[in-house]
Amino acid sequence: RHEATGDVVFDVARIMPAMGPMIDSAEAIVIVVGEEQHQQQPGECQAVDGERNNNNQQKDGWYGSSDLNASILHMIQKLGNSKDAPWLTKIVYIVSPTTLNNVDHKNATVDTSSSCQQQTNLTAVVDTFITSYLGGDGGDASSKHVNPLPPEFSFPMIRSLLVLSDVVEEQQMTKQGNTQVRILPQGTGGALPNLDLVFATYYSFQTHPSGGRYDQSQSIYYGDSEFRAHPFGTELENRVEGFFTRLGSMLELDKSSLASLQSYASDLSGWIGFVAALVIGPVQPHSFALKHGIDALTIEVHVPTTSVGASAIHPHYADLSRCIEHLLRSISNLHERLHHSVAQYTMPSPSKFVSHGEYIYPAILVSLPMVVRAASLALRDMTSFQFVFVGTVVGTVLLVSCVNAYTAFTTGRSFIGVMMMVVAWVVHRSIPQSRQEIETGVDFDTTNECRKSLRFVACLIGIYLHVPLLLANYSLGFPSAVFWTPLLAIFVLSDRLAAMCSKNIVLKTIMAIAKMLLLVAISPST
């Protein structure tokens, strides 16, 4: 048992391979096991705990807390036996959070008599374990001090990390439903693990033991379970598939075409959910491992409760530990330093992926209007580039962004509204007055030229920022390009409409307010 901080305590089991590694620098695999606790209303904890453990009343300790823990414990015993697991060549760490209340840290005992124990969040466990593994330095000056692990537990290099999350709340909501398995590789900032780890995890569920006595109905994959690559439920899929079903009925398609349309709708909804999870979250427990270059993913399991015997483990939990064992065997046969795969992809489903070479073409087409708009402004529309105005605006925006970022970092408060008012005032005061050319006698619309010059610079910045982002992280670059390309290159008022709006006070006020709200909404500090 390791007390990393005052709030995070976890148990660590280390499994050494029976046959040592062929190289001096050993590699390690970490498996984090736990229940993803959601906030419950007062008085619900006793009922939920009693209902969940109605089949485990005669069990004690970590083994009896859940069927997932019991199945993992059987896997630990098998991996620790050289006869049962002679193939193991990497060190395996099993990490499990410890309940916070009723913990006696001096005697390292846990009081299991309480039916309402609070368990540490899996995200905090992963973050704290990696920080402890690295010596207690989280790399952030504001982070809490973390007690390091003993030296004998932290000498190998962690190459892979798996989080087995057993979500209690959703299990209570899906008692009569099917088992749901969500293989979630998404990390913060659009980070993704090695694609081979994702597919190895998915195909491990399709394996089955040799022999004729194996009942496929007892397995997760062949037991009518639902597999997804995003954390969202079926609402998105139902809406997309319902739309395509109505479309197929309107077009009067035959059964073969309708089935193909439904398959496309299912993949499309899965792809939208995958990209949405990368862009807006939720943050998965393994995300901190991806920041340190560790291939990691989260496996969420939702098994409905059944009326099995008190001493029996749910067949799907037992099959889950067998699948994880098969995955460990696959990883043990691989030397990660020599491993090369793809880390830029999107997944419509756990069995399909879209590679970088396929989705880069629509991304280029989406960003192409910014190139066309910048070229048209430079070669045709702009009469004179307003260097002083553009330099003043860009410099003010950069200065305001730095000041706001500093205040947000030091005080935790953002003053983006006040900052945007300062920017708007500077822009208004920086526009020079229109003048009349002496040679030609023609009025020179300086305001319009300033607007065109600023749009030209904005298009160049948009191109400069989105090209590397699309090449490196499509899940972040494509939504950003879809949002900014219409604003910068398509929704552009002509000179006639711009002059009309500038003369109308009501329209001018409405557009100014809309621009201010847009600036506040897209600010990184919000």
Side-chain angles (χ1 to χ4, degrees), residues 489-500:
I490 298 177
F491 299 148
V492 180
L493 296 178
S494 62
D495 296 342
R496 181 180 177 183
L497 292 177
M500 183 184 301

Side-chain angles (χ1 to χ4, degrees), residues 19 86 95 98 108 122 156-157 172 181 213 329 348-349 427-428 459 515:
M19 180 181 296
V95 182
T98 304
L122 290 179
M157 182 176 295
Q172 304 303 322
V181 179
R213 295 188 301 172
R329 185 165 187 170
S349 66
V427 171
H428 178 73
C459 289
K515 291 178 181 179

Side-chain angles (χ1 to χ4, degrees), residues 388-401 427 454 457-458 461:
V388 177
F389 171 75
V390 173
T392 303
V393 172
V394 174
T396 304
V397 171
L398 292 177
L399 179 61
V400 166
S401 300
V427 171
L454 191 59
V457 174
I461 295 176

Side-chain angles (χ1 to χ4, degrees), residues 37-91:
Q37 298 283 352
H38 294 268
Q39 294 182 355
Q40 298 170 347
Q41 299 296 328
E44 288 185 355
C45 190
Q46 173 74 27
V48 171
D49 185 71
E51 188 176 5
R52 178 172 175 79
N53 296 318
N54 59 351
N55 299 319
N56 301 316
Q57 295 175 353
Q58 298 180 359
K59 298 179 182 179
D60 295 324
W62 189 82
Y63 181 92
S65 60
S66 70
D67 286 351
L68 177 62
N69 293 352
S71 61
I72 293 298
L73 186 58
H74 284 286
M75 185 189 71
I76 293 175
Q77 294 175 350
K78 185 175 181 180
L79 294 177
N81 192 335
S82 59
K83 296 181 180 180
D84 295 333
W87 42 265
L88 186 63
T89 59
K90 297 186 179 183
I91 300 174

Side-chain angles (χ1 to χ4, degrees), residues 208-250:
H208 55 82
S210 59
R213 295 188 301 172
Y214 178 70
D215 187 5
Q216 289 189 348
S217 63
Q218 302 296 326
S219 68
I220 296 180
Y221 183 81
Y222 299 99
D224 195 21
S225 301
E226 299 178 3
F227 284 79
R228 293 185 180 87
H230 60 82
F232 306 106
T234 60
E235 183 178 358
L236 176 63
E237 298 176 359
N238 293 336
R239 290 186 177 183
V240 175
E241 293 178 2
F243 170 78
F244 280 93
T245 300
R246 292 190 296 270
L247 180 62
S249 301
M250 293 174 57

Side-chain angles (χ1 to χ4, degrees), residues 172-368:
Q172 304 303 322
M173 297 171 59
T174 59
K175 295 180 182 179
Q176 305 300 328
N178 300 328
T179 297
Q180 300 181 16
V181 179
R182 298 173 182 175
I183 303 175
L184 307 175
Q186 298 91 347
T188 57
L192 290 169
N194 201 314
L195 183 61
D196 289 346
L197 178 63
V198 183
F199 278 127
T201 303
Y202 177 70
Y203 287 122
S204 65
F205 285 95
Q206 301 183 21
T207 61
H208 55 82
S210 59
R213 295 188 301 172
Y214 178 70
D215 187 5
Q216 289 189 348
S217 63
Q218 302 296 326
S219 68
I220 296 180
Y221 183 81
Y222 299 99
D224 195 21
S225 301
E226 299 178 3
F227 284 79
R228 293 185 180 87
H230 60 82
F232 306 106
T234 60
E235 183 178 358
L236 176 63
E237 298 176 359
N238 293 336
R239 290 186 177 183
V240 175
E241 293 178 2
F243 170 78
F244 280 93
T245 300
R246 292 190 296 270
L247 180 62
S249 301
M250 293 174 57
L251 298 177
E252 298 181 354
L253 300 177
D254 54 8
K255 292 184 178 180
S256 177
S257 301
L258 189 60
S260 301
L261 188 63
Q262 290 295 328
S263 177
Y264 174 79
S266 178
D267 291 341
L268 179 61
S269 60
W271 181 85
I272 294 175
F274 186 90
V275 175
L278 282 170
V279 177
I280 63 177
V283 178
Q284 300 302 326
H286 69 276
S287 299
F288 192 76
L290 293 176
K291 293 181 180 180
H292 287 270
I294 303 173
D295 288 328
L297 56 82
T298 298
I299 304 175
E300 286 190 0
V301 183
H302 310 264
V303 180
T305 57
T306 58
S307 57
V308 295
S311 60
I313 300 176
H314 195 286
H316 285 184
Y317 284 114
D319 188 67
L320 175 63
S321 63
R322 183 194 59 79
C323 296
I324 297 301
E325 178 188 342
H326 186 276
L327 178 60
L328 292 177
R329 185 165 187 170
S330 300
I331 299 177
S332 295
N333 296 329
L334 179 67
H335 184 44
E336 289 292 343
R337 292 187 61 185
L338 305 177
H339 185 206
H340 175 72
S341 183
V342 179
Q344 300 176 6
Y345 55 87
T346 57
M347 301 187 69
S349 66
S351 61
K352 301 177 183 178
F353 77 100
V354 182
S355 64
H356 178 270
E358 296 178 5
Y359 58 63
I360 193 61
Y361 298 107
I364 294 175
L365 293 177
V366 169
S367 303
L368 189 60

